[in-house]
Amino acid sequence: MVTSERLSRFMTFLLRHRPADYSLSFDRQGYVPWDDLVQILRRRFPELNEQDIVQVIDGSEKKRFELRGTKVRATYGHSFPVDLGLERTTPPIYLYHGTARDLAETILREGLKPRGREYVHLSQSIEEALAVGKRRDPVPAILLIDALSAHQNGIVFYASGPVFLSKEIPRRFIRVAAKTAAPVNP
Ligand code: HQG
């Protein structure tokens, strides 16, 4: 039986990155037909039933997926242009970004950029940023973003579930979080 984590990972891969090896047709909002997704997932995990997929969607604390009628999409993390219909939001005073220590040094010099994705992703808590950063570095660096100040200076923020998104954060709004997991220059 496939774990829900593995299923979730494969779903985010399919829905965020539009891999050429799988024939899924995306609309402009990033939705694909539910039945087509189910078919691809079943081909990979034959024992899967639709309820398992719904559970992954409903069980995602980060609200990674959105099921609307007969279509489904990823809510963030896309590496191709998609009209998510996000509403601008006023962010909290601070947001956090967890990353590898070497990348943090570049970010402090250049600012935060979306790299392979459409947006940069920001966390509401140091704990969440730590979890994000640990994907890249066992002892990640945690950057503190002066989000409200950036917003007041024209940087646009969007909320997607608990995740905040922005196109780019200039370096003047970024510093090392006081309670960082590790010094950026150990
Ligand atoms: C780095 C997952 C050098 C940035 C996570 C990050 C998150 C720079 C990497 C969500 C840079 C991009 C997104 C610069 C940014 N120079 N490196 N100027 N600006 N970077 O995966 O934030 O759990 O696209 O630090 O948990 O790691 O899968 O972004 O390391 O919420 O739902 O470039 O994806 O969500 O990597 O992760 P990513 P991320 P799920």
Side-chain angles (χ1 to χ4, degrees), residues 35-144:
D35 290 344
D36 295 358
L37 178 70
V38 172
Q39 204 177 61
I40 290 175
L41 295 175
R42 279 235 182 94
R43 221 176 293 147
R44 173 97 164 217
F45 308 112
E47 74 282 19
L48 202 67
N49 60 55
E50 291 194 27
Q51 198 47 41
D52 298 328
I53 308 168
V54 172
Q55 263 170 24
V56 163
I57 295 172
D58 290 346
S60 165
E61 274 179 40
K62 290 173 82 173
K63 305 213 179 305
R64 294 182 175 90
F65 310 101
E66 198 173 333
L67 184 54
R68 177 183 287 191
T70 59
K71 51 193 193 164
V72 58
R73 70 174 176 181
T75 52
Y76 62 89
H78 298 83
S79 55
F80 59 95
V82 47
D83 178 6
L84 294 172
L86 293 167
E87 302 221 348
R88 291 167 178 233
T89 190
T90 301
I93 301 175
Y94 301 124
L95 286 168
Y96 302 90
H97 180 82
T99 191
R101 282 164 285 176
D102 57 337
L103 297 181
E105 292 191 34
T106 315
I107 292 166
L108 289 167
R109 276 200 312 273
E110 297 182 350
L112 258 173
K113 310 209 158 139
R115 309 274 280 185
R117 306 205 202 229
E118 289 290 295
Y119 295 95
V120 302
H121 295 71
L122 304 167
S123 308
Q124 291 186 73
S125 69
I126 291 185
E127 290 68 32
E128 177 56 29
L130 259 176
V132 173
K134 278 190 176 159
R135 292 156 50 248
R136 309 202 175 278
D137 187 338
V139 191
I142 307 299
L143 299 174
L144 184 139

Side-chain angles (χ1 to χ4, degrees), residues 166-179:
S166 186
K167 273 290 172 194
E168 189 166 344
I169 307 287
R171 70 173 189 182
R172 66 182 188 279
F173 301 111
I174 306 172
R175 55 203 148 108
V176 177
K179 239 179 81 187

